[in-house]
Amino acid sequence: MKTQKIKKVDEIMFNLQASADPQKKLLQAEKLLKELNLIDDQTNTDEIVQAYTQNMHDQLNKIIKRKNVSFNQATLDYLQKDPDNNELVIAPAIQHFKEYALIVLRFNDQLVAWCNERAGADYRVLAENLDHHRTNIHNFCLSDIKILNRLAEKEHQAPFAVSSKENPDRTDYGQAIVKFCCENVCEAIKNE
């Protein structure tokens, strides 16, 4: 139950900018954060954002062990100026990144919750399905990163994905995606 509530808060916060009524969404997040005892009853918007941001940073500290890959926001901003790039490539890529980050951010917590709630066979099926979904979305993200790097090269911009390693692996890219999305969410909700 706790895992489902924090996952719902993640979904609200990750989609806050696209919301028609961000204030209403913040109130929904506030209600859930109160139920999770992450904020008090007498809370203002800044405290909601601060509590959620702290929770996300705590979670990121558990997940992010490598910092070999980073994403160039300036390149992404430049590429977004072309409406064709934005609609056909960048918007779907950002959606894939968000979906992947939402899965990974609470992946282990979800597995623990299912382990406590489900019998062995049911747990294994749920865990396998979640892992399969995570892998599929990750594959989309890797493809998106290659496309974004090719677009950047075509436009004579710095690469979107930058690595301190010569051959970064899936985990390097996966952790960079989660970090990138979470940092963007924290920045966006601070500005709401």
Side-chain angles (χ1 to χ4, degrees):
M1 185 69 129
K2 180 179 178 181
T3 302
Q4 294 301 333
K5 286 180 184 177
I6 196 67
K7 283 175 66 175
K8 183 65 180 162
V9 174
D10 289 335
E11 289 173 19
I12 290 169
M13 296 303 206
F14 270 62
N15 295 300
L16 195 62
Q17 281 187 302
S19 172
D21 189 353
Q23 200 61 33
K24 181 179 176 184
K25 292 294 183 183
L26 273 175
L27 291 175
Q28 290 174 345
E30 175 187 27
K31 181 177 184 258
L32 293 167
L33 290 170
K34 283 179 182 175
E35 291 172 10
L36 292 165
N37 294 319
L38 293 175
I39 57 175
D40 298 324
D41 282 336
Q42 305 297 320
T43 304
N44 63 35
T45 303
D46 290 339
E47 291 169 324
I48 296 168
V49 169
Q50 187 175 34
Y52 178 72
T53 302
Q54 182 60 49
N55 180 272
M56 185 183 290
H57 285 295
D58 291 347
Q59 193 66 16
L60 278 176
N61 287 335
K62 294 178 192 173
I63 296 169
I64 306 297
K65 304 297 181 208
R66 303 179 186 184
K67 296 181 181 172
N68 298 323
V69 174
S70 61
F71 297 140
N72 188 331
Q73 184 67 49
T75 296
L76 187 63
D77 292 343
Y78 180 87
L79 295 173
Q80 282 179 308
K81 291 177 185 175
D82 181 337
D84 289 336
N85 285 345
N86 195 35
E87 186 177 328
L88 299 174
V89 177
I90 297 168
I94 290 171
Q95 189 58 40
H96 292 147
F97 290 176
K98 282 198 303 190
E99 190 171 345
Y100 179 76
L102 284 168
I103 292 170
V104 172
L105 195 59
R106 307 296 174 180
F107 186 82
N108 290 334
D109 294 339
Q110 182 65 68
L111 292 180
V112 168
W114 283 340
C115 185
N116 293 330
E117 297 169 0
R118 307 290 177 130
D122 287 343
Y123 167 77
R124 277 190 299 284
V125 168
L126 289 170
E128 286 172 7
N129 287 340
L130 183 61
D131 188 47
H132 183 71
H133 184 60
R134 176 183 65 170
T135 300
N136 286 341
I137 295 299
H138 193 205
N139 289 339
F140 283 128
C141 291
L142 293 174
S143 178
D144 293 331
I145 291 166
K146 287 179 185 177
I147 293 167
L148 290 168
N149 276 340
R150 277 190 233 124
L151 274 175
E153 184 179 353
K154 180 181 161 197
E155 296 289 330
H156 306 289
Q157 296 297 306
F160 170 67
V162 180
S163 177
S164 61
K165 262 171 87 172
E166 189 167 324
N167 293 312
D169 61 26
R170 292 177 62 87
T171 302
D172 292 320
Y173 283 108
Q175 291 190 4
I177 293 165
V178 174
K179 186 174 186 293
F180 177 77
C181 287
C182 291
E183 286 174 350
N184 284 347
V185 166
C186 288
E187 188 63 32
I189 62 176
K190 273 197 295 190
N191 296 326
E192 281 300 324

